Amino acid sequence: MRAALNLAFADGKVTSDFAWREDLKPIKNASRRRELYLDRKQRRNLIAHAPPEIAPFLQCLSMLPLRPGALAALQVADFNARLKAIRIVTA
């Protein structure tokens, strides 16, 4: 996510990187991550109301079991048209 934000800053899409430059701070009284999942209707509603630039990304996230960073890292070369398969590289 930070890489995408830094690219937006470098491309002049945003005027400041202040919001993500600071280190993350722990949230008070948070002891574990939240297990929140949108149901199908909620996902469709989110995609329908998203800006056109991000809607395809959100649609892919709703169809593939990937984290946003893994999806963002995919390239056309990762798709095998003959096998109709995507190669996911993990670090």
Side-chain angles (χ1 to χ4, degrees), residues 26-43:
I27 297 173
K28 188 176 180 179
N29 298 324
S31 59
R32 60 182 174 83
R33 69 180 181 164
R34 292 179 12 175
E35 299 292 337
L36 174 69
Y37 296 95
L38 301 179
D39 63 33
R40 181 174 283 162
K41 183 178 178 183
Q42 290 170 320
R43 289 190 307 262

Side-chain angles (χ1 to χ4, degrees), residues 33-64:
R33 69 180 181 164
R34 292 179 12 175
E35 299 292 337
L36 174 69
Y37 296 95
L38 301 179
D39 63 33
R40 181 174 283 162
K41 183 178 178 183
Q42 290 170 320
R43 289 190 307 262
R44 285 185 178 150
N45 195 29
L46 175 66
I47 294 166
H49 290 89
E53 305 84 32
I54 191 130
F57 186 75
L58 294 174
Q59 187 172 9
C60 287
L61 278 177
S62 72
M63 294 187 300
L64 299 172

Side-chain angles (χ1 to χ4, degrees), residues 1-11 20 69 72:
M1 183 67 159
R2 253 187 204 186
L5 291 170
N6 284 330
L7 179 60
F9 178 64
D11 288 348
W20 62 90

Side-chain angles (χ1 to χ4, degrees), residues 76-87:
V76 173
D78 296 325
F79 178 67
N80 184 321
R82 185 178 64 83
L83 298 176
K84 296 181 180 172
I86 300 172
R87 179 177 52 98

